[in-house]
Amino acid sequence: FRAGRKDNIFLFLPLGVFIFVTFVWAYDLGIRYLLTVYPFLIISTSRIWPVLARLNLSKKNLGGAGTLILAGLSGWYVISSANAFPDYLSYFGELVGGSDNGYKYLDDSNIDWGQDLKRLKKFADNNPDILVVYPWIPGNNALQFYGIDPKKNLFFAKQNWWSKPKGIYAVSSHFLARAQRVAKAQNDESLDWLKLYKPVDRIGQSFFIYKF
């Protein structure tokens, strides 16, 4: 299959328009504004199949090699998707080490949008003394909705709870990522838990568990 001019216009003109409109008018709040470009990218990328199927290396007909390469990449895609279950909201590709390393590169709704509060509730039931650090403005209402005592949320507490931690903490990934920057800006290393302490567990991609 060889794409003609009309095919390329159909694929790349809408793609260019979407990207232009997003960059000019959309808020810088995640990849959600660019989701519409993916169907066009997928269709365009699929055209590599016949190219690989006719692959020739070292003047030897190795057409099957192209199919094997594409099959391997497809298998990798399936395995990557399966490994991300059920944390698709905070998915990151293998180039950054997968979703487990997402907090090192992005924060906010890219990693934490309340998707693990239900699992946090189960963890809290088994650890009734747990303290929570959940930074979202409606955070206490969200915690209460899932049956977690909002009084356990330390984020809105006035005291410097982070300087001398005691007990078990469930800390939002978003908070930890932002706290690194705040620690540098305020010259307060005690805020940088990612640097100071090693978590003992993790709830999905949203909460790190620390035990002191």
Side-chain angles (χ1 to χ4, degrees), residues 107-109 111-112 135-136 171-179 206:
D107 56 16
D108 208 271
S109 57
I111 53 176
D112 180 8
W136 302 108
V171 188
S172 164
S173 302
H174 165 61
F175 172 82
L176 290 169
R178 288 287 176 97
S206 295

Side-chain angles (χ1 to χ4, degrees), residues 114-125 134 142-143 145-148 203 206-207:
Q115 70 270 23
D116 291 316
L117 287 175
K118 190 174 182 179
R119 284 189 275 185
L120 175 62
K121 164 61 176 172
K122 292 182 179 179
F123 189 90
D125 287 342
Y134 191 59
L143 293 175
F145 178 83
Y146 284 96
I148 303 169
I203 300 176
S206 295
F207 291 96

Side-chain angles (χ1 to χ4, degrees), residues 15-102:
L15 191 151
V17 171
F18 281 133
I19 292 177
F20 175 78
V21 170
T22 300
F23 283 1
V24 174
W25 285 290
Y27 291 105
D28 184 17
L29 290 174
I31 200 171
R32 72 191 80 162
Y33 296 102
L34 281 173
L35 291 177
T36 46
V37 308
Y38 281 98
F40 298 96
L41 291 175
I42 291 170
I43 293 172
S44 178
T45 305
S46 68
R47 294 184 295 180
I48 197 174
W49 181 282
V51 175
L52 289 175
R54 296 192 301 267
L55 185 64
N56 289 300
L57 298 174
S58 301
K59 297 183 180 181
K60 295 180 180 179
N61 186 8
L62 298 175
T67 301
L68 288 175
I69 292 172
L70 199 55
L73 292 174
S74 300
W76 183 16
Y77 176 79
V78 172
I79 293 172
S80 174
S81 299
N83 285 337
F85 176 83
D87 301 305
Y88 294 126
L89 183 63
S90 51
Y91 171 79
F92 281 77
E94 282 72 21
L95 290 179
V96 298
S99 301
D100 288 343
N101 290 319

Side-chain angles (χ1 to χ4, degrees), residues 123-138:
F123 189 90
D125 287 342
N126 295 323
N127 299 272
D129 296 329
I130 194 170
L131 298 169
V132 179
V133 182
Y134 191 59
W136 302 108
I137 296 301

Side-chain angles (χ1 to χ4, degrees), residues 123 126-132 152 154 165-171 193 200 208-212:
F123 189 90
N126 295 323
N127 299 272
D129 296 329
I130 194 170
L131 298 169
V132 179
K152 294 180 177 290
L154 295 177
K166 295 180 181 180
I168 303 177
Y169 295 75
V171 188
W193 280 28
V200 298
F208 285 83
I209 305 299
Y210 292 89
K211 188 174 182 179
F212 300 94

Side-chain angles (χ1 to χ4, degrees), residues 159-208:
Q159 71 271 22
N160 294 344
W161 50 265
W162 57 85
S163 59
K164 295 181 180 180
K166 295 180 181 180
I168 303 177
Y169 295 75
V171 188
S172 164
S173 302
H174 165 61
F175 172 82
L176 290 169
R178 288 287 176 97
Q180 284 187 315
R181 282 183 264 172
V182 177
K184 292 180 180 178
Q186 297 187 0
N187 195 26
D188 184 0
E189 192 180 52
S190 64
L191 265 170
D192 194 352
W193 280 28
L194 287 173
K195 179 181 179 180
L196 293 175
Y197 312 117
K198 185 177 181 179
V200 298
D201 201 355
R202 195 166 177 178
I203 300 176
Q205 303 298 334
S206 295
F207 291 96
F208 285 83

